[in-house]
Structure formats: structure tokens, C-alpha cells
Amino acid sequence: MSEETLKLTPDQASDAEAASEVIYAEAVEAYVEDRTLGLDLLALAAIFFVLVCAHIQNPLLTFGTPFGSAFRNASLQIVMTAGLLITTAALTLPYWRSGPARANGRKNGSGSRRSAPGRIAAAVLVVYAVYIALAVFFGFNLSGALAGVDQAVFAERLNDASPVEALQNALNLIAPLVWLAVAAVVVLWQPWGRLPVYRKALRKQGAALLIGVVVVLGWEGLVGVFQIQEFLLPRPSVIAEAFAEVYPRLVSAGWNTFQNGFWGFAVGCGLGILTGIAASRFVSFSRALLPIAIAVNAVPIIALAPLMNNWFGALNPASKIGIVALLTYFPTMVSTVRGLTSVDVLSLELMKTYAARETVIFRKLRLPSALPFIFSALKVCTTLAMIGAIVSEYFGGSTAGIGFRIRDDAGLFKYPEAWSAIFISALYGILFYLVVSAIERVLMSWHVSFRES
């Protein structure tokens, strides 16, 4: 309907235009407020996986560069490839599902203009992900096949008999695709269009970032001013220099420890959830188990580690997994019981009024109500898992773990290296926590806490 149809006076038309500008500005502000840094974190993770996978698919990079050697562990390579596939799917699916104007959540004209580059970038990233998946999961390196390199060479360490020239030719063939994949992520990301989101994030997190910078600078300055000995507290710059030298072996050592923590987490939390479901169904069982849970949970981990090593063997990963499982079992079990028994009474009575079966009540009421409690316990247990896995290595076991590295470096007065190992341990714990939080957001997107945020 035009202004001529409405027959607005000049003053009314001016007021209508001003009101529409206010409404548009409020809509834009509301849209920006609803956007988060999720896409940015996803894109940065994708770029990281692209670069890591570029290094693990050719022995010249895997064993010939410090960054590549950090990911020489076969199981870690599988995880990195899985991460590439997941982030690729998350970035490219909107371009295959939606129309041109809806890709990346854009419903305006600019979105349709960017659809062709976006689809091309998505296709490039998918091609690269397929290439890496074939190389890591199926042992078929396409660039090696084109360069005439035997596929078995890609699974071997470099030695004097390695066909270095042929491997370099294979590397030259795939290098353009690697950088095209990085550029594709940037095109799908489009950080230049997310400046309002960054300003919003800076306003919210600016104080925390400022405090972090002040703490690091104060640490650096006070150590020099008060002449604190390095064995007591090294400067951050010294730790950073040591980290740049030793991080390849620390990443691998941290991964070995993380695997023990993860499997202990899976066993302990899995059994805790199952036991919690049973305990919520049978009240007498719950009352009998709760005092035992409190008593075992009060036992220090330092007292349990030597016993577990004696039972399973110091070199057996089961001793470390057992300690982590014991640490994570009871918090998960208690939280599951509390969540399953804390359902809304009116909702429960309503379902019983409609003669709903117990299985239906559990599936549609009790379990959704318990998920916030369960995920709270799981996020707490991510840190407990890493603590248990690291501390258990102090009392014997494999020398390939990060706990052994911390103990060994500290015993040899290599304190910057020990602090570097502590940093890697914290990094693994943070990433573990973020992964569980991401799963929580996916499974509980309907929950009011996520809808309000």
C-alpha cells in the first residue's frame, strides 16, 4: 500500500518514515543481540582441523615439522579427521538444505548475491574433507596415487629409504586444495559481516579479557621486580618460549592421558546414569546406595591411586580408567537421581490422569526434566576426569602421559617445561568441557535456558 493510497499529509509521511526507521533499527539490534560467537568458533575450529589434517596426510609434514609431529598419534589423527568432517558438515549443510536467500541464516537480498560463492566454497570444503577421510580412514591418498607413490609409504615413518622426492610431489599437488579449503571456510564464515557481533562480545567479555591481560603482565613484571627465582615461579615469557619448543611431545602426551580420562569418564558417567535411573525407580535401593556414595566420594584420590595400580598393574591403563570412573560415577549418579525425582508435580499428575504408562512418563517427562541435572554433572566430571587421570600417573604407569611429564620435568628442575605441560592439561580439560557443553546445547535446544540466551 503506497503513501498515495493512504493519502498521508507531509507531516504524517515524515512521522511514518521516522517510525519505520526506529522499528528497523530495533529489529536490527534485536537480531544482533540474538547472534553469538558460535559461528566464529566453528569456523576457527574448521580452519584448525584443515591445517592439522594437511599435516597428517603426508609423512614429510607429519614427521618433518614440529606442528605435524604433535599429531603423529594414530588415534589422535582419527579424532582430528572426525572433527574436520563434523565442522565441514555444520558449515556446509545450510547451503545444501536452504534456498539461496536463506544460506547462513541470511534472508535478505545480500544473502542471495552471496549464494553462488557460498555454494562453491561449500563444495571445495567437502572435496577436501572427502580427500582427508579417504587418506586417514581408508589409507588411500589421492595425491600420492597421482604422483605414483606407493600407498604404504604414507603410513610409515621417514627413513633413508623413503621416496622424499615423490612425497614432495604429492605434497605439491595437494597444497593448492589445502589453501582453497582455508579460503572456503573464510567465505562461509564471512567475518567481515559480523562486526556488530564482535562489538557485542567485546562489551560482554571486555572486563574478563582486561583482567587476564593485567594478570599476565603483572606476573611478568612482579617476577622481575622482586627477583623471584625461576624454580618458584617462571615468567610467562619464559614459559611461552619453552612451550614453543616442547609442545609437540606435550600434545601427544596429553592425548595419551586424555584417552584414559575419557574412557574413565564414559564408564563412570555411564554407570552413574544407569544406576541413577534404577535408584530413582526403587527408593529403598537409593537410600542404601547414597551413604556408600558419600563415603567413597570422600576418599582422597591420592589414597586410591596406589591401590588401583596394585590391583590392575601400574602399566595397565585400566588402573587409571578405574580411578577416573570412580571419581565420576557418584556425582553423576546423585545428579541423575535428583533430576529424575525433581519433576513438576502438576505435570506428573496430569500424565497419570491420562493413564500414561511409566515408560511414557519417563521418556516424555522425567528424562527431559533430569537432563539439566545430568549435563551439569557431566560438565563437572570433565574436569574430574582429567584430574584423576593426571594424578594417577604420579604413582607409576606409562611414561607417555602428561602426568609423568609434569612430575619428571619438575623433578629435573625444568619448571618452564612443567608449566607448559600444565597448560596443555588445562587446554585438554577446557576442550573436553566445551565438547560436552556443545552436546548439551544440541540435545537441549528446547530448554528455556538456551531459548532465553
Side-chain angles (χ1 to χ4, degrees):
M1 186 177 292
S2 62
E3 296 180 3
E4 290 77 8
T5 305
L6 292 174
K7 297 181 180 180
L8 299 177
T9 65
D11 293 338
Q12 290 174 331
S14 177
D15 293 340
E17 182 179 359
S20 63
E21 290 178 356
V22 172
I23 294 173
Y24 176 75
E26 291 178 351
V28 171
E29 183 178 357
Y31 174 67
V32 171
E33 287 297 321
D34 289 339
R35 299 168 74 187
T36 65
L37 294 176
L39 177 61
D40 305 278
L41 296 177
L42 180 66
L44 292 174
I47 293 175
F48 174 76
F49 288 131
V50 167
L51 296 178
V52 169
C53 291
H55 283 75
I56 66 178
Q57 56 85 35
N58 193 301
L60 288 182
L61 297 180
T62 306
F63 302 104
T65 63
F67 184 76
S69 64
F71 303 94
R72 62 186 179 272
N73 189 293
S75 58
L76 182 56
Q77 293 178 358
I78 293 175
V79 172
M80 293 294 104
T81 305
L84 174 65
L85 295 177
I86 293 172
T87 53
T88 297
L91 285 172
T92 59
L93 278 180
Y95 284 90
W96 308 129
R97 284 182 181 176
S98 308
R102 293 178 61 84
N104 261 3
R106 296 179 178 84
K107 302 180 182 180
N108 49 25
S110 61
S112 61
R113 288 195 298 270
R114 280 190 277 252
S115 61
R119 289 181 181 274
I120 294 173
V124 170
L125 189 57
V126 169
V127 168
Y128 178 77
V130 171
Y131 166 81
I132 293 297
L134 290 174
V136 176
F137 292 148
F138 301 99
F140 176 72
N141 191 296
L142 181 59
S143 64
L146 295 176
V149 184
D150 186 4
Q151 295 295 323
V153 174
F154 289 92
E156 300 174 352
R157 288 178 175 268
L158 291 176
N159 53 57
D160 295 337
S162 298
V164 176
E165 184 177 354
L167 288 173
Q168 185 62 51
N169 293 334
L171 188 60
N172 294 336
L173 286 175
I174 195 58
L177 181 59
V178 175
W179 295 114
L180 283 175
V182 173
V185 174
V186 176
V187 171
L188 297 174
W189 178 14
Q190 298 182 5
W192 52 84
R194 297 177 58 81
L195 296 180
V197 181
Y198 303 149
R199 286 195 292 267
K200 168 198 166 186
L202 187 60
R203 289 196 303 268
K204 293 180 65 175
Q205 307 297 334
L209 293 175
L210 181 61
I211 291 175
V213 172
V214 170
V215 169
V216 172
L217 293 179
W219 180 354
E220 181 79 25
L222 292 176
V223 169
V225 170
F226 293 103
Q227 298 295 314
I228 300 176
Q229 296 298 319
E230 186 173 296
F231 71 92
L232 293 176
L233 188 64
R235 295 193 305 273
S237 59
V238 176
I239 297 174
E241 292 176 2
F243 180 83
E245 295 178 1
V246 302
Y247 81 88
R249 65 180 176 87
L250 292 182
V251 170
S252 181
W255 175 247
N256 292 327
T257 301
F258 175 80
Q259 290 182 86
N260 294 333
F262 172 78
W263 290 116
F265 173 88
V267 172
C269 293
L271 292 176
I273 293 174
L274 294 177
T275 309
I277 293 174
S280 65
R281 183 67 179 84
F282 304 101
V283 180
S284 58
F285 176 67
S286 175
R287 291 175 179 173
L289 189 61
L290 189 59
I292 300 176
I294 296 174
V296 175
N297 207 34
V299 178
I301 184 178
I302 296 178
L304 294 175
L307 295 177
M308 288 288 185
N309 288 339
N310 186 42
W311 292 346
F312 298 101
L315 296 177
N316 192 343
S319 61
K320 282 66 181 171
I321 294 174
I323 291 174
V324 175
L326 196 60
L327 279 177
T328 57
Y329 169 76
F330 291 105
T332 309
M333 187 270 291
V334 172
S335 296
T336 302
V337 171
R338 183 180 178 188
L340 291 173
T341 55
S342 299
V343 298
D344 182 66
V345 178
L346 294 179
S347 300
L348 182 60
E349 292 296 332
L350 179 63
M351 296 196 72
K352 290 183 177 180
T353 302
Y354 283 98
R357 297 189 302 272
E358 284 296 329
T359 55
V360 176
I361 294 176
F362 174 81
R363 181 166 53 88
K364 294 189 175 182
L365 179 60
R366 291 191 183 276
L367 184 58
S369 300
L371 282 179
F373 295 88
I374 293 174
F375 273 105
S376 295
L378 293 179
K379 288 188 288 187
V380 170
C381 288
T382 56
T383 58
L384 291 177
M386 288 302 299
I387 292 173
I390 291 172
V391 173
S392 65
E393 294 175 350
Y394 274 66
F395 297 91
S398 172
T399 60
I402 197 72
F404 173 82
R405 296 263 35 112
I406 295 174
R407 186 189 67 177
D408 189 55
D409 288 337
L412 296 175
F413 304 101
K414 298 179 180 179
Y415 294 106
E417 288 81 357
W419 276 94
S420 300
I422 292 171
F423 176 77
I424 286 289
S425 304
L427 186 60
Y428 271 104
I430 292 171
L431 293 176
F432 196 9
Y433 180 92
L434 292 177
V435 170
V436 174
S437 298
I439 296 173
E440 177 189 23
R441 177 172 286 275
V442 171
L443 295 181
M444 293 180 55
S445 58
W446 49 268
H447 196 263
V448 62
S449 61
F450 295 108
R451 286 190 282 111
E452 287 181 350
S453 62

